[in-house]
Amino acid sequence: MLISVEFSESLVADAKSAAKITKRNLSKQIEYWARLGKSIEENPELPLPMIQDILVSQADIALNKLSKFRFG
């Protein structure tokens, strides 16, 4: 579902800069930040790098980029 949302010019400028570095488009960068902020609020006891790793893993699962690990 697509909706229109207004953001401050400074947030959009920051998101554009970050999007270039992370190779996301503008909307995906803002969505990532929103998910990250939501996760931080819901899990204040977890360190930021762990939350970032969880979000990356969830994205990998959604894109079917993971393979089963074989022991031995």
Side-chain angles (χ1 to χ4, degrees):
M1 171 175 69
L2 296 177
I3 61 170
S4 179
V5 179
E6 291 186 32
F7 294 108
S8 68
E9 289 181 20
S10 62
L11 176 69
V12 172
D14 290 345
K16 283 181 180 179
S17 295
K20 287 179 185 176
I21 295 167
T22 60
K23 298 183 177 153
R24 296 183 182 105
N25 64 36
L26 178 61
S27 63
K28 291 293 182 186
Q29 182 63 43
I30 293 172
E31 182 179 345
Y32 172 76
W33 282 348
R35 290 186 188 282
L36 186 60
K38 181 177 181 265
S39 297
I40 290 169
E41 282 188 348
E42 291 174 347
N43 303 284
E45 71 286 352
L46 294 180
L48 176 60
M50 180 180 280
I51 291 174
Q52 290 172 313
D53 288 344
I54 290 168
L55 291 176
V56 168
S57 296
Q58 288 174 337
D60 286 345
I61 289 169
L63 296 172
N64 201 22
K65 287 188 172 182
L66 300 179
S67 60
K68 289 186 178 183
F69 181 78
R70 293 187 178 169
F71 291 94

